[in-house]
Amino acid sequence: MDVLAKQVDLLLVRHGTTRWNREKRYLGHTDIPLDPGGRDELAPLARELAGKAFHGVYCSDLARCRETLAIISPPHADTATYDPRLREMDFGAWEGHTYEQLQHEPLYRQWIDSPQQVTTPGGESWADFAGRVDGFIGSLLKDVEGACSRLAEAQNDGGSALSESQRNEIGGVTISGSKGSDIGWAELAESQRIEIGEAALPGSQGNETGAAELPESQRIEIGEAALPGSQTSDDNKAALSRSEGPEGTSPEAPVPPEMLIVAHGGVLRQLAVSLVPGLSFWDVHVQPGSLLRIRLSFTEETGDWNGKLVNEA
């Protein structure tokens, strides 16, 4: 199988800004739309992605992500797979609240200090959030395998381009000529029905509470929200330094197939750390309306897919 069939580029897009993001309110499962500025800020990305034929398109089922997809890639808005496993974390009783409103609550302070051990009232635990995203990754990698197999078959048949039917359906996601699919919330296991919010934790830009209100030693970030005690290790800095532009950019080099994922800050972070060796959750920063590219490569020796960050879209 050729290099083209051994690599896939994932384009991870964080939805545009909402009113709660600007007000630095915790925003998880609460379903609110983009604000006017959030729609406008997506115009550059829409131009960048214009004309791309993705081999799979996945999107959170919440309105702010659906709107984002409709703006940045209109041809795929009706055919994408809308998956609730891509929702932000559910902040439970703290949805819609700000850091200022919660800062004196003991449980909130415990959660800020240990978000992986403490769960918000009526919200989602870290384990459930991570498990849900891992479940999505499992499904995604099956689709990646399917896309690569189809490409390899096309190459083995001597075709330089995919047939119309292969362009329409790759990786289990119909690209044209069919209706989009919604994966039902009720169909997911209980452990998969919980999530991570847009305002995740104090200190984030775009979707969470202000980091300026926490001392420097207490700033860890989730999605875009700061959590106490975050530091980037030398190893993680080295991992980030490996980020580079897409390989094989010469005219003769094959271009990997691309898949588009539109989701929330915390979800994109979790996807990145699960797919890119050496990253931690606190290392990944994706601003509203921006894109992070991860190149997946298959290793024959281990039988695994591993990713690395690449800068350009």
Side-chain angles (χ1 to χ4, degrees):
M1 191 183 299
D2 150 325
V3 171
L4 178 60
K6 289 278 193 184
Q7 293 185 329
V8 172
D9 277 8
L10 303 180
L11 277 60
L12 310 184
V13 173
R14 186 178 172 192
H15 68 76
T17 305
T18 69
R19 179 173 59 86
W20 276 19
N21 295 153
R22 296 191 194 281
E23 295 173 353
K24 303 187 186 303
R25 298 181 183 277
Y26 285 93
L27 176 57
H29 284 196
T30 303
D31 201 9
I32 63 176
L34 303 179
D35 67 12
R39 298 184 189 98
D40 293 343
E41 72 189 0
L42 295 171
L45 186 55
R47 291 191 293 269
E48 191 174 2
L49 300 182
K52 284 187 178 288
F54 296 109
H55 292 273
V57 179
Y58 309 84
C59 186
S60 164
D61 64 336
L62 296 181
R64 54 195 184 272
C65 289
R66 287 179 178 264
E67 272 192 84
T68 296
L69 177 58
I71 292 170
I72 65 172
S73 191
H76 299 103
D78 291 334
T79 59
T81 296
Y82 294 94
D83 193 330
R85 290 176 296 183
L86 290 173
R87 290 185 185 184
E88 214 15 310
M89 178 180 277
D90 183 359
F91 292 107
W94 294 343
E95 291 263 335
H97 289 73
T98 65
Y99 171 74
E100 290 81 6
Q101 292 172 321
L102 298 170
Q103 61 182 318
H104 300 300
E105 294 190 18
L107 183 61
Y108 178 71
R109 301 307 309 181
Q110 293 174 31
W111 179 65
I112 290 298
D113 292 336
S114 304
Q116 295 176 328
Q117 285 75 46
V118 179
T119 301
T120 62
E124 171 179 32
S125 70
W126 188 283
D128 285 338
F129 165 69
R132 167 172 51 83
V133 176
D134 284 346
F136 170 79
I137 290 173
S139 300
L140 174 69
L141 292 180
K142 290 180 181 178
D143 290 349
V144 167
E145 292 280 1
C148 289
S149 295
R150 288 174 173 83
L151 288 169
E153 289 169 6
Q155 290 170 351
N156 291 337
D157 290 341
S160 60
L162 295 176
S163 68
E164 182 64 27
S165 63
Q166 286 171 321
R167 286 198 301 270
N168 284 350
E169 291 188 70
I170 289 189
V173 177
T174 300
I175 299 300
S176 61
S178 74
K179 297 181 180 179
S181 62
D182 283 80
I183 297 177
W185 183 250
E187 296 166 0
L188 296 177
E190 181 66 28
S191 62
Q192 292 175 318
R193 286 189 266 170
I194 317 180
E195 338 207 338
I196 272 197
E198 284 304 310
L201 300 166
S204 103
Q205 296 178 8
N207 73 348
E208 287 96 38
T209 60
E213 287 134 4
L214 290 178
E216 182 64 29
S217 62
Q218 291 183 326
R219 294 184 200 165
I220 293 186
E221 301 185 9
I222 287 196
E224 301 264 330
L227 288 181
S230 168
Q231 295 182 353
T232 301
S233 68
D234 291 339
D235 288 343
N236 289 332
K237 288 178 180 176
L240 288 175
S241 71
R242 294 197 297 270
S243 174
E244 52 191 61
E247 298 173 349
T249 53
S250 65
E252 299 80 13
V255 177
E258 295 175 322
M259 293 182 168
L260 178 65
I261 301 174
V262 181
H264 312 263
V267 173
L268 298 186
R269 285 182 165 214
Q270 189 64 25
L271 288 172
V273 302
S274 297
L275 294 170
V276 180
L279 287 183
S280 80
F281 193 89
W282 324 117
D283 293 328
V284 184
H285 307 271
V286 188
Q287 297 299 320
S290 64
L291 178 150
L292 179 70
R293 180 186 288 263
I294 294 177
R295 177 156 297 169
L296 292 180
S297 299
F298 185 75
T299 304
E300 294 284 357
E301 292 76 12
T302 63
D304 293 327
W305 288 90
N306 287 310
K308 68 177 177 181
L309 300 180
V310 292
N311 289 331
E312 300 174 13

